Amino acid sequence: MLVTLATNQTISANSSATYTYSPNSVQKVFINIEDADWEDCTVTVQIGSKTICNGISIYGLAGLTSLTCNNEISVAGANGFISLDFGSHVCEQNANLYVTLQAVGEATAVDVSALVDEPGANFPVK
């Protein structure tokens, strides 16, 4: 099931925003930023108290996304999209999904979605 954690949000310069959802399992996280400052943002993903992705540059992750999803990075640098594939992580003991974006410059039009609770996910990580 695809769920939306944030739509058209703004993150002020030198600040962060955390978006949360309470699933039974997490498979992927999608982040789209339609702003020229997207390259300077970092992302942290946590499931409960476990950190899965810690302060990684979105610019680097966009390159990885372009290899795995055939996504093109904006030539003008005006927007960036990343897809983080985590396999399948089980959220034990009512653990929530937390996606934190840290912006250096103001980032506008931030969208965050997640693919959660997919049936038949192979070998879930607990």
Side-chain angles (χ1 to χ4, degrees), residues 13-55:
N14 297 316
S15 66
S16 64
T18 301
Y19 308 105
T20 186
Y21 190 76
S22 182
N24 293 319
S25 65
V26 176
Q27 285 73 39
K28 293 184 179 184
V29 172
F30 305 101
I31 300 170
N32 185 51
I33 303 173
E34 295 181 14
D35 190 306
D37 291 324
W38 71 272
E39 296 174 342
D40 296 327
C41 295
T42 61
V43 62
T44 300
V45 177
Q46 292 179 286
I47 297 175
S49 62
K50 294 180 183 176
T51 302
I52 308 301
C53 172
N54 190 16

